[in-house]
PDB file of all heavy atoms in Angstrom:
ATOM      1  N   LEU Z 708       0.797  -1.216  -0.001  1.00  0.00           N
ATOM      2  CA  LEU Z 708      -0.003   0.000   0.001  1.00  0.00           C
ATOM      3  C   LEU Z 708       0.837   1.276  -0.001  1.00  0.00           C
ATOM      4  O   LEU Z 708       0.520   2.227  -0.711  1.00  0.00           O
ATOM      5  CB  LEU Z 708      -0.937   0.005   1.221  1.00  0.00           C
ATOM      6  CG  LEU Z 708      -2.028  -1.057   1.264  1.00  0.00           C
ATOM      7  CD1 LEU Z 708      -2.866  -0.893   2.527  1.00  0.00           C
ATOM      8  CD2 LEU Z 708      -2.920  -0.982   0.030  1.00  0.00           C
ATOM      9  N   HIS Z 709       1.860   1.317   0.836  1.00  0.00           N
ATOM     10  CA  HIS Z 709       2.639   2.552   0.953  1.00  0.00           C
ATOM     11  C   HIS Z 709       3.513   2.748  -0.291  1.00  0.00           C
ATOM     12  O   HIS Z 709       4.080   1.785  -0.816  1.00  0.00           O
ATOM     13  CB  HIS Z 709       3.522   2.486   2.202  1.00  0.00           C
ATOM     14  CG  HIS Z 709       4.073   3.809   2.604  1.00  0.00           C
ATOM     15  ND1 HIS Z 709       5.173   4.377   1.996  1.00  0.00           N
ATOM     16  CD2 HIS Z 709       3.675   4.704   3.553  1.00  0.00           C
ATOM     17  CE1 HIS Z 709       5.439   5.549   2.555  1.00  0.00           C
ATOM     18  NE2 HIS Z 709       4.542   5.770   3.501  1.00  0.00           N
ATOM     19  N   PRO Z 710       3.642   3.987  -0.789  1.00  0.00           N
ATOM     20  CA  PRO Z 710       4.465   4.224  -1.983  1.00  0.00           C
ATOM     21  C   PRO Z 710       5.909   3.745  -1.831  1.00  0.00           C
ATOM     22  O   PRO Z 710       6.503   3.293  -2.819  1.00  0.00           O
ATOM     23  CB  PRO Z 710       4.398   5.745  -2.156  1.00  0.00           C
ATOM     24  CG  PRO Z 710       3.113   6.142  -1.518  1.00  0.00           C
ATOM     25  CD  PRO Z 710       2.927   5.200  -0.356  1.00  0.00           C
ATOM     26  N   TYR Z 711       6.458   3.825  -0.625  1.00  0.00           N
ATOM     27  CA  TYR Z 711       7.824   3.328  -0.432  1.00  0.00           C
ATOM     28  C   TYR Z 711       7.875   1.817  -0.586  1.00  0.00           C
ATOM     29  O   TYR Z 711       8.771   1.277  -1.251  1.00  0.00           O
ATOM     30  CB  TYR Z 711       8.345   3.734   0.947  1.00  0.00           C
ATOM     31  CG  TYR Z 711       9.695   3.129   1.266  1.00  0.00           C
ATOM     32  CD1 TYR Z 711      10.822   3.474   0.535  1.00  0.00           C
ATOM     33  CD2 TYR Z 711       9.846   2.191   2.292  1.00  0.00           C
ATOM     34  CE1 TYR Z 711      12.057   2.925   0.804  1.00  0.00           C
ATOM     35  CE2 TYR Z 711      11.070   1.636   2.581  1.00  0.00           C
ATOM     36  CZ  TYR Z 711      12.174   2.001   1.828  1.00  0.00           C
ATOM     37  OH  TYR Z 711      13.394   1.442   2.100  1.00  0.00           O
ATOM     38  N   THR Z 712       6.913   1.111   0.010  1.00  0.00           N
ATOM     39  CA  THR Z 712       6.856  -0.351  -0.141  1.00  0.00           C
ATOM     40  C   THR Z 712       6.681  -0.717  -1.612  1.00  0.00           C
ATOM     41  O   THR Z 712       7.324  -1.645  -2.115  1.00  0.00           O
ATOM     42  CB  THR Z 712       5.695  -0.931   0.682  1.00  0.00           C
ATOM     43  OG1 THR Z 712       5.723  -0.388   1.998  1.00  0.00           O
ATOM     44  CG2 THR Z 712       5.808  -2.445   0.769  1.00  0.00           C
ATOM     45  N   GLN Z 713       5.818  -0.015  -2.310  1.00  0.00           N
ATOM     46  CA  GLN Z 713       5.627  -0.266  -3.735  1.00  0.00           C
ATOM     47  C   GLN Z 713       6.921  -0.053  -4.502  1.00  0.00           C
ATOM     48  O   GLN Z 713       7.258  -0.822  -5.409  1.00  0.00           O
ATOM     49  CB  GLN Z 713       4.528   0.658  -4.274  1.00  0.00           C
ATOM     50  CG  GLN Z 713       3.146   0.366  -3.702  1.00  0.00           C
ATOM     51  CD  GLN Z 713       2.123   1.421  -4.082  1.00  0.00           C
ATOM     52  OE1 GLN Z 713       2.450   2.416  -4.725  1.00  0.00           O
ATOM     53  NE2 GLN Z 713       0.868   1.223  -3.668  1.00  0.00           N
ATOM     54  N   GLY Z 714       7.670   0.990  -4.129  1.00  0.00           N
ATOM     55  CA  GLY Z 714       8.952   1.242  -4.777  1.00  0.00           C
ATOM     56  C   GLY Z 714       9.948   0.115  -4.556  1.00  0.00           C
ATOM     57  O   GLY Z 714      10.712  -0.240  -5.461  1.00  0.00           O
ATOM     58  N   LEU Z 715       9.953  -0.463  -3.345  1.00  0.00           N
ATOM     59  CA  LEU Z 715      10.835  -1.600  -3.071  1.00  0.00           C
ATOM     60  C   LEU Z 715      10.513  -2.775  -3.988  1.00  0.00           C
ATOM     61  O   LEU Z 715      11.404  -3.422  -4.539  1.00  0.00           O
ATOM     62  CB  LEU Z 715      10.718  -2.026  -1.607  1.00  0.00           C
ATOM     63  CG  LEU Z 715      11.253  -1.074  -0.540  1.00  0.00           C
ATOM     64  CD1 LEU Z 715      11.018  -1.665   0.848  1.00  0.00           C
ATOM     65  CD2 LEU Z 715      12.734  -0.806  -0.743  1.00  0.00           C
ATOM     66  N   PHE Z 716       9.232  -3.060  -4.161  1.00  0.00           N
ATOM     67  CA  PHE Z 716       8.831  -4.183  -5.003  1.00  0.00           C
ATOM     68  C   PHE Z 716       9.113  -3.901  -6.478  1.00  0.00           C
ATOM     69  O   PHE Z 716       9.508  -4.808  -7.226  1.00  0.00           O
ATOM     70  CB  PHE Z 716       7.350  -4.507  -4.792  1.00  0.00           C
ATOM     71  CG  PHE Z 716       7.075  -5.310  -3.561  1.00  0.00           C
ATOM     72  CD1 PHE Z 716       6.653  -4.707  -2.395  1.00  0.00           C
ATOM     73  CD2 PHE Z 716       7.270  -6.682  -3.553  1.00  0.00           C
ATOM     74  CE1 PHE Z 716       6.414  -5.451  -1.240  1.00  0.00           C
ATOM     75  CE2 PHE Z 716       7.043  -7.435  -2.415  1.00  0.00           C
ATOM     76  CZ  PHE Z 716       6.614  -6.822  -1.251  1.00  0.00           C
ATOM     77  N   HIS Z 717       8.926  -2.656  -6.924  1.00  0.00           N
ATOM     78  CA  HIS Z 717       9.196  -2.324  -8.322  1.00  0.00           C
ATOM     79  C   HIS Z 717      10.677  -2.410  -8.659  1.00  0.00           C
ATOM     80  O   HIS Z 717      11.054  -2.553  -9.826  1.00  0.00           O
ATOM     81  CB  HIS Z 717       8.685  -0.917  -8.636  1.00  0.00           C
ATOM     82  CG  HIS Z 717       7.189  -0.827  -8.657  1.00  0.00           C
ATOM     83  ND1 HIS Z 717       6.518   0.366  -8.479  1.00  0.00           N
ATOM     84  CD2 HIS Z 717       6.232  -1.768  -8.805  1.00  0.00           C
ATOM     85  CE1 HIS Z 717       5.219   0.142  -8.528  1.00  0.00           C
ATOM     86  NE2 HIS Z 717       5.021  -1.145  -8.709  1.00  0.00           N
ATOM     87  N   SER Z 718      11.530  -2.293  -7.645  1.00  0.00           N
ATOM     88  CA  SER Z 718      12.975  -2.342  -7.884  1.00  0.00           C
ATOM     89  C   SER Z 718      13.517  -3.761  -7.988  1.00  0.00           C
ATOM     90  O   SER Z 718      14.701  -3.957  -8.263  1.00  0.00           O
ATOM     91  CB  SER Z 718      13.710  -1.610  -6.764  1.00  0.00           C
ATOM     92  OG  SER Z 718      13.586  -2.305  -5.525  1.00  0.00           O
ATOM     93  N   LEU Z 719      12.645  -4.763  -7.779  1.00  0.00           N
ATOM     94  CA  LEU Z 719      13.079  -6.153  -7.851  1.00  0.00           C
ATOM     95  C   LEU Z 719      13.074  -6.637  -9.303  1.00  0.00           C
ATOM     96  O   LEU Z 719      12.211  -6.246 -10.094  1.00  0.00           O
ATOM     97  CB  LEU Z 719      12.145  -7.050  -7.028  1.00  0.00           C
ATOM     98  CG  LEU Z 719      12.118  -6.820  -5.518  1.00  0.00           C
ATOM     99  CD1 LEU Z 719      11.050  -7.704  -4.887  1.00  0.00           C
ATOM    100  CD2 LEU Z 719      13.481  -7.121  -4.913  1.00  0.00           C
ATOM    101  N   PRO Z 720      14.037  -7.497  -9.680  1.00  0.00           N
ATOM    102  CA  PRO Z 720      14.005  -8.086 -11.027  1.00  0.00           C
ATOM    103  C   PRO Z 720      12.811  -9.017 -11.171  1.00  0.00           C
ATOM    104  O   PRO Z 720      12.394  -9.664 -10.213  1.00  0.00           O
ATOM    105  CB  PRO Z 720      15.329  -8.866 -11.094  1.00  0.00           C
ATOM    106  CG  PRO Z 720      15.712  -9.114  -9.676  1.00  0.00           C
ATOM    107  CD  PRO Z 720      15.191  -7.959  -8.891  1.00  0.00           C
ATOM    108  N   ARG Z 721      12.247  -9.055 -12.363  1.00  0.00           N
ATOM    109  CA  ARG Z 721      11.075  -9.875 -12.619  1.00  0.00           C
ATOM    110  C   ARG Z 721      11.458 -11.084 -13.460  1.00  0.00           C
ATOM    111  O   ARG Z 721      12.086 -10.955 -14.513  1.00  0.00           O
ATOM    112  CB  ARG Z 721       9.981  -9.060 -13.313  1.00  0.00           C
ATOM    113  CG  ARG Z 721       9.498  -7.888 -12.477  1.00  0.00           C
ATOM    114  CD  ARG Z 721       8.305  -7.196 -13.109  1.00  0.00           C
ATOM    115  NE  ARG Z 721       7.859  -6.108 -12.261  1.00  0.00           N
ATOM    116  CZ  ARG Z 721       8.080  -4.819 -12.518  1.00  0.00           C
ATOM    117  NH1 ARG Z 721       8.736  -4.484 -13.609  1.00  0.00           N
ATOM    118  NH2 ARG Z 721       7.646  -3.896 -11.702  1.00  0.00           N
ATOM    119  N   LEU Z 722      11.071 -12.236 -12.983  1.00  0.00           N
ATOM    120  CA  LEU Z 722      11.406 -13.488 -13.650  1.00  0.00           C
ATOM    121  C   LEU Z 722      10.789 -13.525 -15.044  1.00  0.00           C
ATOM    122  O   LEU Z 722       9.605 -13.255 -15.225  1.00  0.00           O
ATOM    123  CB  LEU Z 722      10.893 -14.671 -12.824  1.00  0.00           C
ATOM    124  CG  LEU Z 722      11.390 -16.058 -13.216  1.00  0.00           C
ATOM    125  CD1 LEU Z 722      12.895 -16.157 -13.016  1.00  0.00           C
ATOM    126  CD2 LEU Z 722      10.686 -17.127 -12.378  1.00  0.00           C
ATOM    127  N   GLY Z 723      11.606 -13.845 -16.054  1.00  0.00           N
ATOM    128  CA  GLY Z 723      11.106 -14.002 -17.411  1.00  0.00           C
ATOM    129  C   GLY Z 723      11.120 -12.736 -18.237  1.00  0.00           C
ATOM    130  O   GLY Z 723      10.866 -12.771 -19.440  1.00  0.00           O
ATOM    131  N   GLU Z 724      11.418 -11.581 -17.619  1.00  0.00           N
ATOM    132  CA  GLU Z 724      11.459 -10.325 -18.357  1.00  0.00           C
ATOM    133  C   GLU Z 724      12.918  -9.906 -18.531  1.00  0.00           C
ATOM    134  O   GLU Z 724      13.458  -9.100 -17.784  1.00  0.00           O
ATOM    135  CB  GLU Z 724      10.673  -9.242 -17.616  1.00  0.00           C
ATOM    136  CG  GLU Z 724       9.187  -9.548 -17.482  1.00  0.00           C
ATOM    137  CD  GLU Z 724       8.420  -8.395 -16.847  1.00  0.00           C
ATOM    138  OE1 GLU Z 724       8.927  -7.263 -16.875  1.00  0.00           O
ATOM    139  OE2 GLU Z 724       7.311  -8.634 -16.338  1.00  0.00           O
ATOM    140  N   LYS Z 725      13.563 -10.462 -19.569  1.00  0.00           N
ATOM    141  CA  LYS Z 725      14.998 -10.260 -19.750  1.00  0.00           C
ATOM    142  C   LYS Z 725      15.357  -8.800 -20.027  1.00  0.00           C
ATOM    143  O   LYS Z 725      16.413  -8.323 -19.643  1.00  0.00           O
ATOM    144  CB  LYS Z 725      15.495 -11.143 -20.892  1.00  0.00           C
ATOM    145  CG  LYS Z 725      15.361 -12.632 -20.621  1.00  0.00           C
ATOM    146  CD  LYS Z 725      15.905 -13.451 -21.766  1.00  0.00           C
ATOM    147  CE  LYS Z 725      15.770 -14.950 -21.475  1.00  0.00           C
ATOM    148  NZ  LYS Z 725      16.275 -15.780 -22.593  1.00  0.00           N
ATOM    149  N   LYS Z 726      14.466  -8.091 -20.715  1.00  0.00           N
ATOM    150  CA  LYS Z 726      14.770  -6.717 -21.083  1.00  0.00           C
ATOM    151  C   LYS Z 726      14.186  -5.697 -20.108  1.00  0.00           C
ATOM    152  O   LYS Z 726      14.219  -4.504 -20.357  1.00  0.00           O
ATOM    153  CB  LYS Z 726      14.240  -6.439 -22.496  1.00  0.00           C
ATOM    154  CG  LYS Z 726      14.922  -7.283 -23.570  1.00  0.00           C
ATOM    155  CD  LYS Z 726      14.404  -6.916 -24.955  1.00  0.00           C
ATOM    156  CE  LYS Z 726      15.087  -7.760 -26.026  1.00  0.00           C
ATOM    157  NZ  LYS Z 726      14.603  -7.411 -27.390  1.00  0.00           N
ATOM    158  N   HIS Z 727      13.623  -6.205 -19.021  1.00  0.00           N
ATOM    159  CA  HIS Z 727      13.001  -5.289 -18.067  1.00  0.00           C
ATOM    160  C   HIS Z 727      14.065  -4.448 -17.368  1.00  0.00           C
ATOM    161  O   HIS Z 727      15.067  -4.953 -16.879  1.00  0.00           O
ATOM    162  CB  HIS Z 727      12.211  -6.082 -17.018  1.00  0.00           C
ATOM    163  CG  HIS Z 727      11.682  -5.243 -15.905  1.00  0.00           C
ATOM    164  ND1 HIS Z 727      10.676  -4.337 -16.085  1.00  0.00           N
ATOM    165  CD2 HIS Z 727      12.047  -5.158 -14.593  1.00  0.00           C
ATOM    166  CE1 HIS Z 727      10.429  -3.728 -14.939  1.00  0.00           C
ATOM    167  NE2 HIS Z 727      11.249  -4.205 -14.016  1.00  0.00           N
ATOM    168  N   ARG Z 728      13.842  -3.156 -17.344  1.00  0.00           N
ATOM    169  CA  ARG Z 728      14.747  -2.241 -16.653  1.00  0.00           C
ATOM    170  C   ARG Z 728      14.246  -2.038 -15.219  1.00  0.00           C
ATOM    171  O   ARG Z 728      13.075  -1.738 -15.013  1.00  0.00           O
ATOM    172  CB  ARG Z 728      14.798  -0.902 -17.379  1.00  0.00           C
ATOM    173  CG  ARG Z 728      15.817   0.078 -16.796  1.00  0.00           C
ATOM    174  CD  ARG Z 728      15.822   1.370 -17.583  1.00  0.00           C
ATOM    175  NE  ARG Z 728      16.824   2.296 -17.071  1.00  0.00           N
ATOM    176  CZ  ARG Z 728      18.104   2.303 -17.446  1.00  0.00           C
ATOM    177  NH1 ARG Z 728      18.511   1.440 -18.361  1.00  0.00           N
ATOM    178  NH2 ARG Z 728      18.948   3.167 -16.938  1.00  0.00           N
ATOM    179  N   LEU Z 729      15.130  -2.238 -14.246  1.00  0.00           N
ATOM    180  CA  LEU Z 729      14.725  -2.099 -12.853  1.00  0.00           C
ATOM    181  C   LEU Z 729      14.356  -0.655 -12.545  1.00  0.00           C
ATOM    182  O   LEU Z 729      15.008   0.289 -12.999  1.00  0.00           O
ATOM    183  CB  LEU Z 729      15.863  -2.555 -11.931  1.00  0.00           C
ATOM    184  CG  LEU Z 729      16.307  -4.016 -12.069  1.00  0.00           C
ATOM    185  CD1 LEU Z 729      17.371  -4.333 -11.031  1.00  0.00           C
ATOM    186  CD2 LEU Z 729      15.133  -4.950 -11.918  1.00  0.00           C
ATOM    187  N   ASP Z 730      13.288  -0.495 -11.792  1.00  0.00           N
ATOM    188  CA  ASP Z 730      12.813   0.839 -11.419  1.00  0.00           C
ATOM    189  C   ASP Z 730      13.422   1.236 -10.081  1.00  0.00           C
ATOM    190  O   ASP Z 730      13.151   0.606  -9.063  1.00  0.00           O
ATOM    191  CB  ASP Z 730      11.290   0.850 -11.315  1.00  0.00           C
ATOM    192  CG  ASP Z 730      10.621   0.512 -12.635  1.00  0.00           C
ATOM    193  OD1 ASP Z 730      11.131   0.968 -13.672  1.00  0.00           O
ATOM    194  OD2 ASP Z 730       9.600  -0.197 -12.615  1.00  0.00           O
ATOM    195  N   ALA Z 731      14.225   2.267 -10.087  1.00  0.00           N
ATOM    196  CA  ALA Z 731      14.827   2.761  -8.854  1.00  0.00           C
ATOM    197  C   ALA Z 731      13.911   3.792  -8.208  1.00  0.00           C
ATOM    198  O   ALA Z 731      13.138   4.469  -8.891  1.00  0.00           O
ATOM    199  CB  ALA Z 731      16.188   3.380  -9.136  1.00  0.00           C
ATOM    200  N   ILE Z 732      13.981   3.896  -6.884  1.00  0.00           N
ATOM    201  CA  ILE Z 732      13.264   4.950  -6.175  1.00  0.00           C
ATOM    202  C   ILE Z 732      14.067   6.231  -6.349  1.00  0.00           C
ATOM    203  O   ILE Z 732      15.251   6.286  -6.025  1.00  0.00           O
ATOM    204  CB  ILE Z 732      13.105   4.612  -4.681  1.00  0.00           C
ATOM    205  CG1 ILE Z 732      12.308   3.311  -4.512  1.00  0.00           C
ATOM    206  CG2 ILE Z 732      12.408   5.741  -3.938  1.00  0.00           C
ATOM    207  CD1 ILE Z 732      12.195   2.840  -3.073  1.00  0.00           C
ATOM    208  N   GLY Z 733      13.434   7.253  -6.886  1.00  0.00           N
ATOM    209  CA  GLY Z 733      14.138   8.505  -7.151  1.00  0.00           C
ATOM    210  C   GLY Z 733      14.611   9.197  -5.893  1.00  0.00           C
ATOM    211  O   GLY Z 733      14.134   8.940  -4.781  1.00  0.00           O
ATOM    212  N   GLY Z 734      15.551  10.109  -6.067  1.00  0.00           N
ATOM    213  CA  GLY Z 734      16.037  10.892  -4.936  1.00  0.00           C
ATOM    214  C   GLY Z 734      17.011  10.136  -4.062  1.00  0.00           C
ATOM    215  O   GLY Z 734      17.502   9.063  -4.412  1.00  0.00           O
ATOM    216  N   ASN Z 735      17.264  10.694  -2.897  1.00  0.00           N
ATOM    217  CA  ASN Z 735      18.225  10.122  -1.961  1.00  0.00           C
ATOM    218  C   ASN Z 735      17.589   9.896  -0.591  1.00  0.00           C
ATOM    219  O   ASN Z 735      16.590  10.540  -0.243  1.00  0.00           O
ATOM    220  CB  ASN Z 735      19.427  11.065  -1.787  1.00  0.00           C
ATOM    221  CG  ASN Z 735      20.182  11.275  -3.082  1.00  0.00           C
ATOM    222  OD1 ASN Z 735      20.534  10.322  -3.768  1.00  0.00           O
ATOM    223  ND2 ASN Z 735      20.439  12.536  -3.417  1.00  0.00           N
ATOM    224  N   VAL Z 736      18.166   8.960   0.161  1.00  0.00           N
ATOM    225  CA  VAL Z 736      17.728   8.742   1.536  1.00  0.00           C
ATOM    226  C   VAL Z 736      17.954  10.029   2.329  1.00  0.00           C
ATOM    227  O   VAL Z 736      19.027  10.630   2.240  1.00  0.00           O
ATOM    228  CB  VAL Z 736      18.525   7.580   2.170  1.00  0.00           C
ATOM    229  CG1 VAL Z 736      18.095   7.375   3.621  1.00  0.00           C
ATOM    230  CG2 VAL Z 736      18.336   6.306   1.371  1.00  0.00           C
ATOM    231  N   PRO Z 737      16.971  10.498   3.077  1.00  0.00           N
ATOM    232  CA  PRO Z 737      17.139  11.772   3.783  1.00  0.00           C
ATOM    233  C   PRO Z 737      18.189  11.700   4.879  1.00  0.00           C
ATOM    234  O   PRO Z 737      18.396  10.669   5.510  1.00  0.00           O
ATOM    235  CB  PRO Z 737      15.746  12.030   4.368  1.00  0.00           C
ATOM    236  CG  PRO Z 737      15.113  10.687   4.486  1.00  0.00           C
ATOM    237  CD  PRO Z 737      15.639   9.901   3.321  1.00  0.00           C
ATOM    238  N   ASP Z 738      18.847  12.820   5.099  1.00  0.00           N
ATOM    239  CA  ASP Z 738      19.819  12.955   6.176  1.00  0.00           C
ATOM    240  C   ASP Z 738      19.079  12.942   7.508  1.00  0.00           C
ATOM    241  O   ASP Z 738      18.180  13.751   7.732  1.00  0.00           O
ATOM    242  CB  ASP Z 738      20.567  14.283   6.008  1.00  0.00           C
ATOM    243  CG  ASP Z 738      21.676  14.476   7.027  1.00  0.00           C
ATOM    244  OD1 ASP Z 738      21.704  13.737   8.033  1.00  0.00           O
ATOM    245  OD2 ASP Z 738      22.511  15.372   6.816  1.00  0.00           O
ATOM    246  N   PRO Z 739      19.425  12.009   8.422  1.00  0.00           N
ATOM    247  CA  PRO Z 739      18.704  11.933   9.701  1.00  0.00           C
ATOM    248  C   PRO Z 739      18.849  13.175  10.564  1.00  0.00           C
ATOM    249  O   PRO Z 739      18.087  13.372  11.507  1.00  0.00           O
ATOM    250  CB  PRO Z 739      19.323  10.701  10.384  1.00  0.00           C
ATOM    251  CG  PRO Z 739      20.644  10.514   9.720  1.00  0.00           C
ATOM    252  CD  PRO Z 739      20.459  10.976   8.311  1.00  0.00           C
ATOM    253  N   LEU Z 740      19.826  14.012  10.270  1.00  0.00           N
ATOM    254  CA  LEU Z 740      19.967  15.267  11.006  1.00  0.00           C
ATOM    255  C   LEU Z 740      19.010  16.336  10.491  1.00  0.00           C
ATOM    256  O   LEU Z 740      18.680  17.286  11.198  1.00  0.00           O
ATOM    257  CB  LEU Z 740      21.406  15.779  10.892  1.00  0.00           C
ATOM    258  CG  LEU Z 740      22.447  15.069  11.747  1.00  0.00           C
ATOM    259  CD1 LEU Z 740      23.842  15.488  11.354  1.00  0.00           C
ATOM    260  CD2 LEU Z 740      22.200  15.328  13.232  1.00  0.00           C
ATOM    261  N   THR Z 741      18.548  16.165   9.254  1.00  0.00           N
ATOM    262  CA  THR Z 741      17.664  17.175   8.648  1.00  0.00           C
ATOM    263  C   THR Z 741      16.543  16.479   7.888  1.00  0.00           C
ATOM    264  O   THR Z 741      16.410  16.639   6.675  1.00  0.00           O
ATOM    265  CB  THR Z 741      18.453  18.086   7.702  1.00  0.00           C
ATOM    266  OG1 THR Z 741      19.134  17.278   6.707  1.00  0.00           O
ATOM    267  CG2 THR Z 741      19.464  18.924   8.457  1.00  0.00           C
ATOM    268  N   PHE Z 742      15.753  15.670   8.597  1.00  0.00           N
ATOM    269  CA  PHE Z 742      14.611  15.038   7.948  1.00  0.00           C
ATOM    270  C   PHE Z 742      13.680  16.110   7.375  1.00  0.00           C
ATOM    271  O   PHE Z 742      13.493  17.170   7.985  1.00  0.00           O
ATOM    272  CB  PHE Z 742      13.824  14.192   8.957  1.00  0.00           C
ATOM    273  CG  PHE Z 742      14.426  12.844   9.232  1.00  0.00           C
ATOM    274  CD1 PHE Z 742      14.470  12.344  10.529  1.00  0.00           C
ATOM    275  CD2 PHE Z 742      14.933  12.055   8.207  1.00  0.00           C
ATOM    276  CE1 PHE Z 742      15.015  11.093  10.791  1.00  0.00           C
ATOM    277  CE2 PHE Z 742      15.479  10.813   8.460  1.00  0.00           C
ATOM    278  CZ  PHE Z 742      15.517  10.334   9.749  1.00  0.00           C
ATOM    279  N   PRO Z 743      13.069  15.849   6.220  1.00  0.00           N
ATOM    280  CA  PRO Z 743      12.147  16.830   5.646  1.00  0.00           C
ATOM    281  C   PRO Z 743      10.895  16.979   6.501  1.00  0.00           C
ATOM    282  O   PRO Z 743      10.504  16.068   7.228  1.00  0.00           O
ATOM    283  CB  PRO Z 743      11.812  16.229   4.273  1.00  0.00           C
ATOM    284  CG  PRO Z 743      12.047  14.766   4.437  1.00  0.00           C
ATOM    285  CD  PRO Z 743      13.201  14.638   5.391  1.00  0.00           C
ATOM    286  N   ALA Z 744      10.271  18.135   6.406  1.00  0.00           N
ATOM    287  CA  ALA Z 744       9.011  18.358   7.100  1.00  0.00           C
ATOM    288  C   ALA Z 744       7.923  17.495   6.474  1.00  0.00           C
ATOM    289  O   ALA Z 744       8.017  17.075   5.322  1.00  0.00           O
ATOM    290  CB  ALA Z 744       8.634  19.828   7.026  1.00  0.00           C
ATOM    291  N   GLY Z 745       6.881  17.232   7.251  1.00  0.00           N
ATOM    292  CA  GLY Z 745       5.785  16.416   6.736  1.00  0.00           C
ATOM    293  C   GLY Z 745       6.175  14.961   6.628  1.00  0.00           C
ATOM    294  O   GLY Z 745       6.961  14.441   7.426  1.00  0.00           O
ATOM    295  N   CYS Z 746       5.647  14.291   5.637  1.00  0.00           N
ATOM    296  CA  CYS Z 746       6.001  12.894   5.396  1.00  0.00           C
ATOM    297  C   CYS Z 746       7.459  12.821   4.964  1.00  0.00           C
ATOM    298  O   CYS Z 746       7.885  13.507   4.031  1.00  0.00           O
ATOM    299  CB  CYS Z 746       5.096  12.308   4.311  1.00  0.00           C
ATOM    300  SG  CYS Z 746       5.572  10.648   3.789  1.00  0.00           S
ATOM    301  N   LYS Z 747       8.239  11.979   5.635  1.00  0.00           N
ATOM    302  CA  LYS Z 747       9.670  11.893   5.329  1.00  0.00           C
ATOM    303  C   LYS Z 747       9.940  11.364   3.925  1.00  0.00           C
ATOM    304  O   LYS Z 747      11.021  11.560   3.370  1.00  0.00           O
ATOM    305  CB  LYS Z 747      10.376  11.015   6.367  1.00  0.00           C
ATOM    306  CG  LYS Z 747      10.426  11.604   7.771  1.00  0.00           C
ATOM    307  CD  LYS Z 747      11.210  10.703   8.698  1.00  0.00           C
ATOM    308  CE  LYS Z 747      11.382  11.325  10.081  1.00  0.00           C
ATOM    309  NZ  LYS Z 747      10.102  11.413  10.799  1.00  0.00           N
ATOM    310  N   PHE Z 748       8.958  10.677   3.348  1.00  0.00           N
ATOM    311  CA  PHE Z 748       9.150  10.096   2.017  1.00  0.00           C
ATOM    312  C   PHE Z 748       8.699  11.043   0.905  1.00  0.00           C
ATOM    313  O   PHE Z 748       8.963  10.781  -0.263  1.00  0.00           O
ATOM    314  CB  PHE Z 748       8.386   8.768   1.920  1.00  0.00           C
ATOM    315  CG  PHE Z 748       8.648   7.987   0.661  1.00  0.00           C
ATOM    316  CD1 PHE Z 748       9.917   7.526   0.354  1.00  0.00           C
ATOM    317  CD2 PHE Z 748       7.616   7.724  -0.236  1.00  0.00           C
ATOM    318  CE1 PHE Z 748      10.170   6.812  -0.818  1.00  0.00           C
ATOM    319  CE2 PHE Z 748       7.853   6.994  -1.397  1.00  0.00           C
ATOM    320  CZ  PHE Z 748       9.133   6.541  -1.688  1.00  0.00           C
TER     321      PHE Z 748
END
């Protein structure tokens, strides 16, 4: 359900799809000293 969880699953290789390009989660992991306001993701 959560967009982050969905991103984790989309980044996995898919069996039988040789030409499938893995989908990376955009951006960078936030700095724990300066987490963004609101939802951290």
Side-chain angles (χ1 to χ4, degrees):
L708 294 181
H709 195 280
Y711 174 65
T712 312
Q713 294 171 357
L715 292 179
F716 280 98
H717 290 158
S718 68
L719 295 175
R721 299 187 179 105
L722 192 64
E724 297 185 20
K725 296 182 180 179
K726 296 183 180 180
H727 173 70
R728 185 179 182 86
L729 299 184
D730 298 321
I732 299 176
N735 298 310
V736 178
D738 184 345
L740 284 169
T741 56
F742 280 138
C746 173
K747 292 183 175 68
F748 187 62

